[in-house]
Amino acid sequence: MARSLVIKVTAGADAPERCNQAFTVAAAALASGVSVSLWLTGESSWFALPGRAAEFSLPHAVPLPDLLGAVLAAGRVTLCTQCAARRNITPDDVMEGVRIAGAPAFVEEVTAEGVQALVY
């Protein structure tokens, strides 16, 4: 059975290296043929909005819009329901391909057979 990866990223511009690492691992896993589900929570929630990833910068790192685009193209991106609500982000606000879902969906994903969960 093929393994899949669920990555929860809690950091945004407040912890740029940790944030970028989560996106980099997600994109690298997809490039390796691994199924990836990326969850945006906490400060990374803002990256669900159009153009917000382009505002992020980290020296010597692949640009965040490129990494996010790779995940949107080949994996799944989910914005945490409560995180969205705390930031007044609605389904109409998010980029195409981003879904909003809560803890029950996260638990279902991470407890499925063959899943590895990572939290950044």
Side-chain angles (χ1 to χ4, degrees), residues 12-24:
D14 59 325
E17 288 183 305
R18 188 163 35 108
C19 173
N20 186 265
Q21 188 174 23
F23 283 88
T24 299

Side-chain angles (χ1 to χ4, degrees), residues 17-60:
E17 288 183 305
R18 188 163 35 108
C19 173
N20 186 265
Q21 188 174 23
F23 283 88
T24 299
V25 168
L30 285 165
S32 298
V34 175
S35 174
V36 173
S37 175
L38 180 69
W39 282 72
L40 305 175
T41 68
E43 285 303 299
S44 73
S45 300
W46 296 113
F47 299 128
L49 299 175
R52 291 301 284 265
E55 298 172 7
F56 180 90
S57 179
L58 182 65
H60 309 291

Side-chain angles (χ1 to χ4, degrees), residues 96-120:
E96 186 174 336
V98 175
R99 73 175 181 148
I100 297 177
F106 180 77
V107 170
E108 182 179 347
E109 284 190 28
V110 300
T111 59
E113 179 116 9
V115 172
Q116 173 69 49
L118 302 173
V119 179
Y120 288 89

